[in-house]
Amino acid sequence: MKSIAALQAVVTATPFDGEPSNAELDAIELEMPAIMADVALLDAQIMTIDRTPTELDHQRIRRARRRVLAARRDLANQAAATVSAGAS
């Protein structure tokens, strides 16, 4: 039986240390408001899965959706500003 451990260096051209790079961490940090808004929306929706939503639940979900849209808008505007600044 031939071990594949000896072939691992051939298969994986770049070494992977299991940790995100600084650029990946910066990208995650930039997207964190949108990620947290998505989590808040999911939390609001999960709370109403097993029961009939009340008016307060509907308000909570609408508010969370507005936060998601605002966070995504801000992220898109920031990305567009970065691209236009880089083009100048």
Side-chain angles (χ1 to χ4, degrees):
M1 180 170 185
K2 186 175 179 182
S3 173
I4 63 168
L7 301 176
Q8 185 175 5
V10 176
V11 175
T12 56
T14 57
F16 179 68
D17 63 358
E19 298 294 324
S21 67
N22 287 338
E24 291 169 332
L25 289 173
D26 291 341
I28 292 169
E29 186 68 30
L30 183 68
E31 294 177 10
M32 192 54 70
I35 294 168
M36 295 307 294
D38 284 333
V39 169
L41 176 59
L42 284 171
D43 285 344
Q45 291 171 334
I46 288 170
M47 289 173 42
T48 62
I49 285 178
D50 61 346
R51 62 184 168 89
T52 303
T54 64
E55 183 58 34
L56 183 61
D57 293 328
H58 288 296
Q59 289 175 0
R60 184 177 294 123
I61 291 170
R62 282 192 304 267
R63 197 175 320 121
R65 282 186 181 140
R66 285 193 301 267
R67 280 190 222 121
V68 166
L69 291 173
R72 289 181 183 171
R73 179 200 62 217
D74 293 344
L75 187 59
N77 288 342
Q78 191 172 14
T82 303
V83 169
S84 66
S88 301

